[in-house]
Amino acid sequence: MSLVEWLQQAEQQGLAPEAEPQGLTRRVIDALRTVYDPEIPVNIYDLGLVYGLAVDEAAGKVQIRMTLTAPGCPVAQTFPATVEGVVEAVEGVNDARVELVWEPPWSRDRMSESARLDLGMI
């Protein structure tokens, strides 16, 4: 099977790789990757703590839905403001809002392959 045939088959099955985000979204994701979970040495984006990211590039507004690894996390009250501050420092962002959610509960299945590799889980 040629590479082109494989890509076509993957696309038909919904397995084609998603396009890399560009512009402000890319810069926000890069910023999120600088914020590390206080208990696990992996950034919050690759750890799978970010459940939703909405970026309005024209207005410079960013909305993030995220969770923590455990509801009893000692930084639950302060961590959203930390994330907001990091995102607001991104060029082009005028406003960032973080909504902390607990459903669905975080699990290791949400981690990126890179995070699993960093933690020796692969």
mmCIF file of all heavy atoms in Angstrom, residues 25-56:
data_model
loop_
_atom_site.group_PDB
_atom_site.id
_atom_site.type_symbol
_atom_site.label_atom_id
_atom_site.label_comp_id
_atom_site.label_asym_id
_atom_site.label_seq_id
_atom_site.Cartn_x
_atom_site.Cartn_y
_atom_site.Cartn_z
ATOM 1 N N THR A 25 -3.879 30.447 18.475
ATOM 2 C CA THR A 25 -4.145 29.155 19.120
ATOM 3 C C THR A 25 -2.840 28.420 19.388
ATOM 4 O O THR A 25 -2.629 27.886 20.482
ATOM 5 C CB THR A 25 -5.082 28.292 18.259
ATOM 6 O OG1 THR A 25 -6.306 29.008 18.071
ATOM 7 C CG2 THR A 25 -5.370 26.952 18.905
ATOM 8 N N ARG A 26 -1.944 28.400 18.428
ATOM 9 C CA ARG A 26 -0.644 27.738 18.591
ATOM 10 C C ARG A 26 0.147 28.392 19.727
ATOM 11 O O ARG A 26 0.749 27.700 20.561
ATOM 12 C CB ARG A 26 0.139 27.831 17.281
ATOM 13 C CG ARG A 26 1.570 27.366 17.349
ATOM 14 C CD ARG A 26 1.735 25.864 17.186
ATOM 15 N NE ARG A 26 1.717 25.206 18.475
ATOM 16 C CZ ARG A 26 1.243 23.991 18.710
ATOM 17 N NH1 ARG A 26 0.706 23.277 17.757
ATOM 18 N NH2 ARG A 26 1.263 23.458 19.888
ATOM 19 N N ARG A 27 0.139 29.730 19.782
ATOM 20 C CA ARG A 27 0.877 30.429 20.838
ATOM 21 C C ARG A 27 0.278 30.147 22.219
ATOM 22 O O ARG A 27 1.015 30.023 23.202
ATOM 23 C CB ARG A 27 0.929 31.930 20.552
ATOM 24 C CG ARG A 27 1.756 32.271 19.315
ATOM 25 C CD ARG A 27 2.083 33.746 19.177
ATOM 26 N NE ARG A 27 0.958 34.657 19.235
ATOM 27 C CZ ARG A 27 0.233 35.023 18.179
ATOM 28 N NH1 ARG A 27 0.492 34.533 16.975
ATOM 29 N NH2 ARG A 27 -0.759 35.888 18.322
ATOM 30 N N VAL A 28 -1.035 30.042 22.289
ATOM 31 C CA VAL A 28 -1.689 29.731 23.567
ATOM 32 C C VAL A 28 -1.320 28.310 24.005
ATOM 33 O O VAL A 28 -0.978 28.083 25.173
ATOM 34 C CB VAL A 28 -3.218 29.913 23.469
ATOM 35 C CG1 VAL A 28 -3.917 29.321 24.686
ATOM 36 C CG2 VAL A 28 -3.565 31.389 23.320
ATOM 37 N N ILE A 29 -1.361 27.363 23.087
ATOM 38 C CA ILE A 29 -0.984 25.987 23.427
ATOM 39 C C ILE A 29 0.466 25.939 23.884
ATOM 40 O O ILE A 29 0.795 25.275 24.875
ATOM 41 C CB ILE A 29 -1.235 25.038 22.237
ATOM 42 C CG1 ILE A 29 -2.739 24.877 22.008
ATOM 43 C CG2 ILE A 29 -0.572 23.677 22.468
ATOM 44 C CD1 ILE A 29 -3.108 24.148 20.724
ATOM 45 N N ASP A 30 1.335 26.653 23.190
ATOM 46 C CA ASP A 30 2.740 26.704 23.605
ATOM 47 C C ASP A 30 2.874 27.255 25.017
ATOM 48 O O ASP A 30 3.679 26.761 25.816
ATOM 49 C CB ASP A 30 3.564 27.539 22.628
ATOM 50 C CG ASP A 30 3.744 26.859 21.271
ATOM 51 O OD1 ASP A 30 3.492 25.631 21.151
ATOM 52 O OD2 ASP A 30 4.132 27.564 20.318
ATOM 53 N N ALA A 31 2.079 28.272 25.343
ATOM 54 C CA ALA A 31 2.107 28.847 26.693
ATOM 55 C C ALA A 31 1.597 27.840 27.724
ATOM 56 O O ALA A 31 2.171 27.708 28.813
ATOM 57 C CB ALA A 31 1.288 30.132 26.745
ATOM 58 N N LEU A 32 0.523 27.129 27.381
ATOM 59 C CA LEU A 32 -0.017 26.124 28.299
ATOM 60 C C LEU A 32 1.008 25.028 28.574
ATOM 61 O O LEU A 32 1.031 24.453 29.659
ATOM 62 C CB LEU A 32 -1.309 25.523 27.742
ATOM 63 C CG LEU A 32 -2.513 26.457 27.705
ATOM 64 C CD1 LEU A 32 -3.668 25.826 26.937
ATOM 65 C CD2 LEU A 32 -2.944 26.844 29.113
ATOM 66 N N ARG A 33 1.851 24.769 27.613
ATOM 67 C CA ARG A 33 2.887 23.741 27.791
ATOM 68 C C ARG A 33 4.016 24.207 28.708
ATOM 69 O O ARG A 33 4.896 23.411 29.037
ATOM 70 C CB ARG A 33 3.422 23.304 26.433
ATOM 71 C CG ARG A 33 2.462 22.381 25.712
ATOM 72 C CD ARG A 33 3.079 21.764 24.481
ATOM 73 N NE ARG A 33 2.278 20.634 24.037
ATOM 74 C CZ ARG A 33 1.859 20.467 22.792
ATOM 75 N NH1 ARG A 33 2.176 21.355 21.846
ATOM 76 N NH2 ARG A 33 1.135 19.412 22.479
ATOM 77 N N THR A 34 3.988 25.443 29.146
ATOM 78 C CA THR A 34 4.992 25.922 30.108
ATOM 79 C C THR A 34 4.484 25.822 31.544
ATOM 80 O O THR A 34 5.240 26.086 32.478
ATOM 81 C CB THR A 34 5.403 27.382 29.827
ATOM 82 O OG1 THR A 34 4.306 28.261 30.114
ATOM 83 C CG2 THR A 34 5.884 27.570 28.399
ATOM 84 N N VAL A 35 3.213 25.468 31.697
ATOM 85 C CA VAL A 35 2.604 25.357 33.034
ATOM 86 C C VAL A 35 2.592 23.880 33.421
ATOM 87 O O VAL A 35 2.014 23.052 32.719
ATOM 88 C CB VAL A 35 1.161 25.905 33.041
ATOM 89 C CG1 VAL A 35 0.553 25.777 34.432
ATOM 90 C CG2 VAL A 35 1.130 27.341 32.556
ATOM 91 N N TYR A 36 3.232 23.581 34.529
ATOM 92 C CA TYR A 36 3.345 22.189 34.962
ATOM 93 C C TYR A 36 2.429 21.889 36.141
ATOM 94 O O TYR A 36 2.208 22.736 37.002
ATOM 95 C CB TYR A 36 4.801 21.868 35.331
ATOM 96 C CG TYR A 36 5.640 21.637 34.100
ATOM 97 C CD1 TYR A 36 6.018 22.693 33.289
ATOM 98 C CD2 TYR A 36 6.005 20.354 33.721
ATOM 99 C CE1 TYR A 36 6.761 22.481 32.137
ATOM 100 C CE2 TYR A 36 6.739 20.131 32.570
ATOM 101 C CZ TYR A 36 7.108 21.200 31.781
ATOM 102 O OH TYR A 36 7.821 20.988 30.638
ATOM 103 N N ASP A 37 1.914 20.680 36.143
ATOM 104 C CA ASP A 37 1.118 20.204 37.256
ATOM 105 C C ASP A 37 2.008 20.219 38.499
ATOM 106 O O ASP A 37 3.181 19.850 38.424
ATOM 107 C CB ASP A 37 0.633 18.776 36.962
ATOM 108 C CG ASP A 37 -0.213 18.226 38.081
ATOM 109 O OD1 ASP A 37 -1.432 18.465 38.060
ATOM 110 O OD2 ASP A 37 0.357 17.564 38.984
ATOM 111 N N PRO A 38 1.482 20.650 39.635
ATOM 112 C CA PRO A 38 2.320 20.749 40.827
ATOM 113 C C PRO A 38 2.774 19.399 41.386
ATOM 114 O O PRO A 38 3.728 19.344 42.154
ATOM 115 C CB PRO A 38 1.442 21.490 41.836
ATOM 116 C CG PRO A 38 0.069 21.454 41.303
ATOM 117 C CD PRO A 38 0.145 21.190 39.841
ATOM 118 N N GLU A 39 2.111 18.319 41.008
ATOM 119 C CA GLU A 39 2.468 17.016 41.569
ATOM 120 C C GLU A 39 3.093 16.063 40.559
ATOM 121 O O GLU A 39 3.789 15.132 40.937
ATOM 122 C CB GLU A 39 1.220 16.370 42.176
ATOM 123 C CG GLU A 39 0.665 17.171 43.338
ATOM 124 C CD GLU A 39 -0.635 16.612 43.873
ATOM 125 O OE1 GLU A 39 -1.376 15.980 43.087
ATOM 126 O OE2 GLU A 39 -0.899 16.798 45.063
ATOM 127 N N ILE A 40 2.820 16.271 39.275
ATOM 128 C CA ILE A 40 3.335 15.390 38.229
ATOM 129 C C ILE A 40 4.201 16.243 37.306
ATOM 130 O O ILE A 40 3.739 17.274 36.827
ATOM 131 C CB ILE A 40 2.168 14.744 37.439
ATOM 132 C CG1 ILE A 40 1.253 13.970 38.382
ATOM 133 C CG2 ILE A 40 2.702 13.827 36.341
ATOM 134 C CD1 ILE A 40 -0.018 13.467 37.728
ATOM 135 N N PRO A 41 5.426 15.832 37.030
ATOM 136 C CA PRO A 41 6.332 16.681 36.248
ATOM 137 C C PRO A 41 6.032 16.685 34.744
ATOM 138 O O PRO A 41 6.884 16.385 33.920
ATOM 139 C CB PRO A 41 7.709 16.079 36.542
ATOM 140 C CG PRO A 41 7.425 14.634 36.799
ATOM 141 C CD PRO A 41 6.087 14.608 37.483
ATOM 142 N N VAL A 42 4.799 17.034 34.404
ATOM 143 C CA VAL A 42 4.362 17.113 33.005
ATOM 144 C C VAL A 42 3.502 18.365 32.866
ATOM 145 O O VAL A 42 2.762 18.723 33.788
ATOM 146 C CB VAL A 42 3.550 15.863 32.594
ATOM 147 C CG1 VAL A 42 3.000 15.993 31.185
ATOM 148 C CG2 VAL A 42 4.392 14.601 32.710
ATOM 149 N N ASN A 43 3.587 19.019 31.715
ATOM 150 C CA ASN A 43 2.783 20.227 31.521
ATOM 151 C C ASN A 43 1.302 19.887 31.440
ATOM 152 O O ASN A 43 0.919 18.762 31.093
ATOM 153 C CB ASN A 43 3.264 21.006 30.294
ATOM 154 C CG ASN A 43 2.950 20.322 28.996
ATOM 155 O OD1 ASN A 43 1.799 20.283 28.558
ATOM 156 N ND2 ASN A 43 3.965 19.767 28.342
ATOM 157 N N ILE A 44 0.465 20.867 31.758
ATOM 158 C CA ILE A 44 -0.971 20.627 31.861
ATOM 159 C C ILE A 44 -1.622 20.276 30.526
ATOM 160 O O ILE A 44 -2.625 19.567 30.495
ATOM 161 C CB ILE A 44 -1.707 21.818 32.514
ATOM 162 C CG1 ILE A 44 -1.581 23.092 31.676
ATOM 163 C CG2 ILE A 44 -1.216 22.014 33.942
ATOM 164 C CD1 ILE A 44 -2.440 24.245 32.158
ATOM 165 N N TYR A 45 -1.056 20.749 29.423
ATOM 166 C CA TYR A 45 -1.646 20.455 28.109
ATOM 167 C C TYR A 45 -1.422 18.990 27.743
ATOM 168 O O TYR A 45 -2.357 18.279 27.402
ATOM 169 C CB TYR A 45 -1.080 21.388 27.042
ATOM 170 C CG TYR A 45 -1.849 21.309 25.745
ATOM 171 C CD1 TYR A 45 -3.028 22.027 25.585
ATOM 172 C CD2 TYR A 45 -1.405 20.516 24.704
ATOM 173 C CE1 TYR A 45 -3.757 21.946 24.410
ATOM 174 C CE2 TYR A 45 -2.128 20.431 23.520
ATOM 175 C CZ TYR A 45 -3.300 21.149 23.378
ATOM 176 O OH TYR A 45 -4.012 21.062 22.212
ATOM 177 N N ASP A 46 -0.185 18.519 27.840
ATOM 178 C CA ASP A 46 0.111 17.134 27.496
ATOM 179 C C ASP A 46 -0.405 16.154 28.543
ATOM 180 O O ASP A 46 -0.639 14.986 28.240
ATOM 181 C CB ASP A 46 1.613 16.941 27.276
ATOM 182 C CG ASP A 46 2.084 17.615 25.995
ATOM 183 O OD1 ASP A 46 1.324 17.611 25.007
ATOM 184 O OD2 ASP A 46 3.199 18.163 25.987
ATOM 185 N N LEU A 47 -0.591 16.636 29.750
ATOM 186 C CA LEU A 47 -1.161 15.792 30.794
ATOM 187 C C LEU A 47 -2.648 15.539 30.543
ATOM 188 O O LEU A 47 -3.226 14.612 31.073
ATOM 189 C CB LEU A 47 -0.947 16.450 32.163
ATOM 190 C CG LEU A 47 -1.126 15.609 33.404
ATOM 191 C CD1 LEU A 47 -0.286 14.349 33.375
ATOM 192 C CD2 LEU A 47 -0.779 16.425 34.631
ATOM 193 N N GLY A 48 -3.248 16.354 29.686
ATOM 194 C CA GLY A 48 -4.661 16.166 29.358
ATOM 195 C C GLY A 48 -5.593 16.882 30.314
ATOM 196 O O GLY A 48 -6.779 16.548 30.392
ATOM 197 N N LEU A 49 -5.087 17.878 31.022
ATOM 198 C CA LEU A 49 -5.939 18.618 31.948
ATOM 199 C C LEU A 49 -6.785 19.670 31.241
ATOM 200 O O LEU A 49 -7.770 20.144 31.798
ATOM 201 C CB LEU A 49 -5.089 19.286 33.036
ATOM 202 C CG LEU A 49 -4.322 18.331 33.957
ATOM 203 C CD1 LEU A 49 -3.497 19.122 34.961
ATOM 204 C CD2 LEU A 49 -5.257 17.364 34.652
ATOM 205 N N VAL A 50 -6.399 20.052 30.030
ATOM 206 C CA VAL A 50 -7.162 21.036 29.263
ATOM 207 C C VAL A 50 -8.226 20.283 28.469
ATOM 208 O O VAL A 50 -7.926 19.523 27.566
ATOM 209 C CB VAL A 50 -6.244 21.848 28.319
ATOM 210 C CG1 VAL A 50 -7.068 22.799 27.470
ATOM 211 C CG2 VAL A 50 -5.210 22.610 29.137
ATOM 212 N N TYR A 51 -9.482 20.492 28.839
ATOM 213 C CA TYR A 51 -10.604 19.816 28.190
ATOM 214 C C TYR A 51 -11.147 20.606 27.012
ATOM 215 O O TYR A 51 -11.710 20.040 26.094
ATOM 216 C CB TYR A 51 -11.734 19.597 29.190
ATOM 217 C CG TYR A 51 -11.505 18.493 30.191
ATOM 218 C CD1 TYR A 51 -10.317 17.778 30.244
ATOM 219 C CD2 TYR A 51 -12.492 18.170 31.104
ATOM 220 C CE1 TYR A 51 -10.128 16.772 31.165
ATOM 221 C CE2 TYR A 51 -12.308 17.158 32.032
ATOM 222 C CZ TYR A 51 -11.134 16.457 32.054
ATOM 223 O OH TYR A 51 -10.951 15.450 32.971
ATOM 224 N N GLY A 52 -11.014 21.911 27.055
ATOM 225 C CA GLY A 52 -11.533 22.731 25.972
ATOM 226 C C GLY A 52 -10.749 24.020 25.855
ATOM 227 O O GLY A 52 -10.318 24.598 26.855
ATOM 228 N N LEU A 53 -10.535 24.442 24.600
ATOM 229 C CA LEU A 53 -9.799 25.671 24.334
ATOM 230 C C LEU A 53 -10.507 26.402 23.203
ATOM 231 O O LEU A 53 -10.617 25.880 22.099
ATOM 232 C CB LEU A 53 -8.353 25.351 23.934
ATOM 233 C CG LEU A 53 -7.471 26.520 23.515
ATOM 234 C CD1 LEU A 53 -7.296 27.505 24.657
ATOM 235 C CD2 LEU A 53 -6.117 26.003 23.043
ATOM 236 N N ALA A 54 -11.028 27.585 23.518
ATOM 237 C CA ALA A 54 -11.700 28.411 22.511
ATOM 238 C C ALA A 54 -10.926 29.712 22.390
ATOM 239 O O ALA A 54 -10.717 30.412 23.379
ATOM 240 C CB ALA A 54 -13.144 28.683 22.918
ATOM 241 N N VAL A 55 -10.493 30.005 21.168
ATOM 242 C CA VAL A 55 -9.690 31.204 20.925
ATOM 243 C C VAL A 55 -10.389 32.079 19.902
ATOM 244 O O VAL A 55 -10.682 31.625 18.792
ATOM 245 C CB VAL A 55 -8.277 30.830 20.418
ATOM 246 C CG1 VAL A 55 -7.471 32.076 20.107
ATOM 247 C CG2 VAL A 55 -7.555 29.957 21.434
ATOM 248 N N ASP A 56 -10.703 33.302 20.298
ATOM 249 C CA ASP A 56 -11.250 34.309 19.386
ATOM 250 C C ASP A 56 -10.080 35.207 19.020
ATOM 251 O O ASP A 56 -9.738 36.127 19.760
ATOM 252 C CB ASP A 56 -12.369 35.092 20.065
ATOM 253 C CG ASP A 56 -12.980 36.153 19.172
ATOM 254 O OD1 ASP A 56 -12.363 36.530 18.148
ATOM 255 O OD2 ASP A 56 -14.086 36.626 19.497
#
